[in-house]
Amino acid sequence: MFFEDENQLYNIYLCKESYDQMISYCRNSNSYETGGVLIGNYSHNHKIANVLQITPPPKNSKYSKCSFHRASSGLKELLDTLWNQGIYYLGEWHYHPNSSAVPSYVDLKQMFALSNNTDLKCPEPILIIIGGNEKDWRISASIFSNGRYVCLELVK
Ligand SMILES: [Zn+2]
């Protein structure tokens, strides 16, 4: 799956395995929010972020029907190991059960906070949101950069 913005400054590639995994976590979350992090790399010209892996919610994450707070347990160790293999933290994903895939005000605030989090070393994090349900999955992808956010369009 490819997402682009109209100026084609930002492109996101989401591999099929990661998409399928997200959908299966959403399906099993039983109308509760769920989520995790996006992991992958960048193309040489930095124009394409390749999402190659996703994680389920880390232990101790808190979820309800309308909120998700991702815990960080075990994440730093995982990201440090991957960093040495040239694979990095790219951002976050979560599920809006039976709802639109548009980022909420809280989502925007959290993403801007993450972009300023020096531990993550990811100043331009991606947010992928899955909305809807089994009958009608929806998806959105946004990039947070320099205090702005750009919602990308699914092209294929
Ligand atoms: Zn949200």
Side-chain angles (χ1 to χ4, degrees):
M1 269 173 159
F2 253 105
F3 300 87
E4 283 176 2
D5 73 313
E6 52 185 22
N7 303 315
Q8 302 206 358
L9 280 173
Y10 304 107
N11 302 283
I12 298 171
Y13 169 71
L14 172 63
C15 76
K16 172 120 183 27
E17 290 76 13
S18 296
Y19 175 76
D20 289 347
Q21 256 182 318
M22 279 193 260
I23 292 295
S24 90
Y25 290 129
C26 293
R27 187 178 282 137
N28 293 331
S29 80
N30 228 345
S31 83
Y32 280 76
E33 290 208 5
T34 183
V37 306
L38 308 172
I39 294 165
N41 59 22
Y42 296 95
S43 64
H44 284 299
N45 60 10
H46 269 244
K47 283 204 148 189
I48 306 172
N50 296 302
V51 178
L52 304 173
Q53 293 178 39
I54 62 145
T55 73
K59 241 212 253 157
N60 305 324
S61 294
K62 296 192 185 81
Y63 12 155
S64 74
K65 290 195 173 171
C66 58
S67 76
F68 173 71
H69 183 266
R70 176 181 63 69
S72 305
S73 38
L75 205 57
K76 190 176 184 310
E77 293 74 13
L78 171 70
L79 294 177
D80 283 348
T81 312
L82 292 170
W83 184 278
N84 295 325
Q85 302 165 17
I87 303 172
Y88 313 104
Y89 169 88
L90 297 182
E92 305 281 327
W93 74 273
H94 68 257
Y95 176 38
H96 288 173
N98 305 310
S99 173
S100 101
V102 176
S104 69
Y105 174 71
V106 174
D107 292 338
L108 301 183
K109 249 179 54 182
Q110 282 176 348
M111 291 307 294
F112 284 123
L114 290 171
S115 76
N116 293 321
N117 180 334
T118 44
D119 282 347
L120 291 172
K121 301 188 235 10
C122 183
E124 298 187 341
I126 296 168
L127 173 63
I128 292 182
I129 296 176
I130 305 283
N133 56 48
E134 202 134 7
K135 290 188 192 101
D136 177 25
W137 295 114
R138 299 169 199 180
I139 187 165
S140 77
S142 330
I143 292 195
F144 295 75
S145 165
N146 293 322
R148 293 186 320 126
Y149 98 97
V150 185
C151 204
L152 310 193
E153 221 175 293
L154 175 62
V155 282
K156 186 74 195 140

